[in-house]
Amino acid sequence: MLDFIRHNARWLLGAFLLTLFSGFGQTFFISLFSEDIRSSYDLSDGQFGLLYMGATLCSAVMFLNVGFVADRFPIAAVSTVVLAALALACGTMAVSSSVWLLGVCLFCLRLFGQGMMLHVSQTAVGRWFDAERGRALSLTSMGLNLGESTLPTLVGVATLWVSWRYCWAAAAMFALLSIPFCFWLTRIPREPTVSTSKKPQAAIGKHWTRSEVIRDKLFWFACPGMFAPAFIITAVYFNHQHLVGIKGWPEGSFGPGFMVVSVTMVLSKLYAGSLIDRYGAIGLMWIYHLPLGLACLLLALGQSVVFVYLSMTLIGIGMGFASSMTGTVWPELYGTKHLGSILSLVVSGIVFSSACGSGLTGVLLDAGIGFESQLAFLAAFSLLSAVMMFVVSGRMRQRLLSTVENSPAE
């Protein structure tokens, strides 16, 4: 592992930083200011949830039409533009005073933070690495874990002394200062080492285009399971302050929980990366639904604050596997030539699912449906998703094995 990191430090660090700065557009970061935002703009839970959902849905639609740039332009150029746009969104968030401008800021944060920043990082790693793609994605995706483990604490301390808007100004400054360094790290592409493992590779057959993927039935059967984690995590993160209130837990109970998520995600990503490099990602697609479902069940039924840390541990395990799968399943199944366009389709679905996680839960809360009941439903849905993904992964693996057997010998 250390030799791998040392020999590929430039590319790993570049993708790691892009993933780290995506945190400014993630729900875990934005939700830290949810009470301040609702108070400043006089919004209810449902109103803010719908605004957040609308901004995220619009960003998903836009992302679907701009994700291809990662295929057509150098990674360094794309990352520079995305970082600059993210910095502008953070800066505008610091000075916004109207609801419509808040909506624009949320749209840009979701598009350039949650969407494009992760997309560029995953596309770059998926193209730069082959034999050790799982390990590379596991390492670079830890940038988001670093953000999840440090940003809530930093924001909590900062807001004791300054207004929440200064936190967004600081985020804008850090994003701008990172642009030259990220450009230098990513300006030279890496030539991938061809895999010699036993796992089947789509590249042995052909590299699918996005239009071909859209016509593939297996893709659509896999989508609900692949998109479910985004819905669940957004629902929990976005409403964690509400959950603390109805459970009667101490304020800030979820703060250490984010640290727990980060630690367990790092460990599970390392383990998932080694499994993916050895056996492939497709056969593991169903596993992460089980800990996510159990986490929702514990949050729904548990009354002690201990259940926060138990559930966040399970969320970390599930998300560690899920995040490792997102960038590895599709290159295995469809190849890497059109990976940017394919990933833009996938990430748009993930962003859409994330939007529904915030919007629908807020509407249901305003309608009188308790969040504990919603969590119980999500637990049942996760179990159903695990069963469905087990069946789908088996079909995908059969197709890839057939492709390998029918490919001409070189």
Side-chain angles (χ1 to χ4, degrees):
M1 176 68 80
L2 292 178
D3 287 341
F4 174 71
I5 294 174
R6 184 172 62 253
H7 294 151
N8 300 281
R10 178 186 194 130
W11 299 283
L12 293 174
L13 181 58
F16 178 91
L17 288 176
L18 294 179
T19 307
L20 170 63
F21 283 102
S22 75
F24 295 142
Q26 298 286 346
T27 299
F28 83 86
F29 185 73
I30 299 173
S31 67
L32 297 173
F33 308 95
S34 59
E35 287 191 355
D36 293 308
I37 291 174
R38 286 196 294 265
S39 175
S40 298
Y41 295 91
D42 193 23
L43 299 172
S44 69
D45 287 327
Q47 289 172 332
F48 182 49
L50 285 175
L51 180 64
Y52 192 75
M53 182 179 72
T56 305
L57 289 177
C58 290
S59 73
V61 174
M62 178 63 70
F63 179 75
L64 189 61
N65 293 285
V66 300
F68 70 91
V69 299
D71 289 330
R72 298 191 184 180
F73 299 98
I75 293 297
V78 177
S79 62
T80 297
V81 173
V82 172
L83 274 168
L86 180 62
L88 179 61
C90 292
T92 307
M93 193 75 172
V95 298
S96 169
S97 59
S98 61
V99 173
W100 73 266
L101 189 54
L102 172 64
V104 172
C105 291
L106 292 174
F107 164 77
C108 292
L109 288 171
R110 302 298 276 166
L111 174 61
F112 296 108
Q114 183 199 33
M116 287 299 296
M117 197 69 73
L118 281 179
H119 174 62
V120 173
S121 176
Q122 291 180 348
T123 301
V125 173
R127 188 173 294 131
W128 290 341
F129 296 88
D130 182 8
E132 295 171 311
R133 182 182 293 134
R135 187 179 304 178
L137 278 167
S138 297
L139 289 170
T140 56
S141 63
M142 289 180 191
L144 185 55
N145 302 129
L146 179 61
E148 288 177 331
S149 63
T150 58
L151 290 176
T153 301
L154 291 174
V155 169
V157 172
T159 51
L160 293 175
W161 302 95
V162 298
S163 167
W164 63 275
R165 294 182 182 272
Y166 284 101
C167 295
W168 286 104
M173 180 187 67
F174 283 121
L176 281 176
L177 292 177
S178 72
I179 291 176
F181 190 43
C182 289
F183 179 85
W184 179 81
L185 289 171
T186 59
R187 67 186 180 89
I188 301 177
R190 179 187 184 275
E191 291 298 324
T193 301
V194 178
S195 176
T196 58
S197 70
K198 297 293 185 181
K199 65 182 180 181
Q201 300 280 337
I204 294 175
K206 68 173 184 177
H207 295 271
W208 295 54
T209 64
R210 188 165 78 173
S211 60
E212 290 174 326
V213 171
I214 291 175
R215 294 194 296 270
D216 182 20
K217 293 181 180 179
L218 283 180
F219 172 78
W220 294 108
F221 279 115
C223 281
M226 295 297 290
F227 299 163
F231 184 99
I232 293 171
I233 298 306
T234 301
V236 172
Y237 283 11
F238 195 78
N239 296 286
H240 75 270
Q241 292 179 334
H242 174 83
L243 186 62
V244 167
I246 62 176
K247 294 284 191 179
W249 294 333
E251 290 188 15
S253 296
F254 269 81
F258 287 119
M259 181 75 73
V260 172
V261 168
S262 298
V263 172
T264 52
M265 276 188 72
V266 168
L267 296 176
S268 63
K269 280 179 180 180
L270 290 174
Y271 184 58
S274 64
L275 290 179
I276 290 169
D277 288 337
R278 181 177 300 178
Y279 302 111
I282 291 175
L284 306 172
M285 293 168 60
W286 61 277
I287 293 177
Y288 55 83
H289 292 280
L290 299 179
L292 290 177
L294 183 55
C296 291
L297 187 62
L298 291 179
L299 286 175
L301 302 179
Q303 297 300 320
S304 170
V305 72
V306 173
F307 286 96
V308 171
Y309 310 117
L310 292 176
S311 62
M312 295 299 261
T313 299
L314 292 167
I315 286 175
I317 295 172
M319 290 306 296
F321 271 84
S323 61
S324 297
M325 300 295 165
T326 302
T328 52
V329 166
W330 311 114
E332 283 186 19
L333 193 61
Y334 299 121
T336 60
K337 185 176 181 179
H338 306 287
L339 183 59
S341 296
I342 295 170
L343 280 179
S344 69
L345 180 65
V346 174
V347 176
S348 292
I350 293 175
V351 174
F352 178 86
S353 179
S354 176
C356 293
S358 62
L360 290 181
T361 53
V363 171
L364 292 175
L365 285 174
D366 283 355
I369 300 177
F371 191 55
E372 292 169 305
S373 299
Q374 297 181 42
L375 286 170
F377 173 82
L378 291 177
F381 178 74
S382 295
L383 178 60
L384 179 62
S385 296
V387 174
M388 184 171 68
M389 292 299 283
F390 181 80
V391 175
V392 171
S393 66
R395 297 288 180 86
M396 287 181 171
R397 192 162 182 82
Q398 287 177 2
R399 185 169 71 183
L400 287 185
L401 289 172
S402 176
T403 302
V404 173
E405 292 171 357
N406 296 330
S407 62
E410 295 184 1

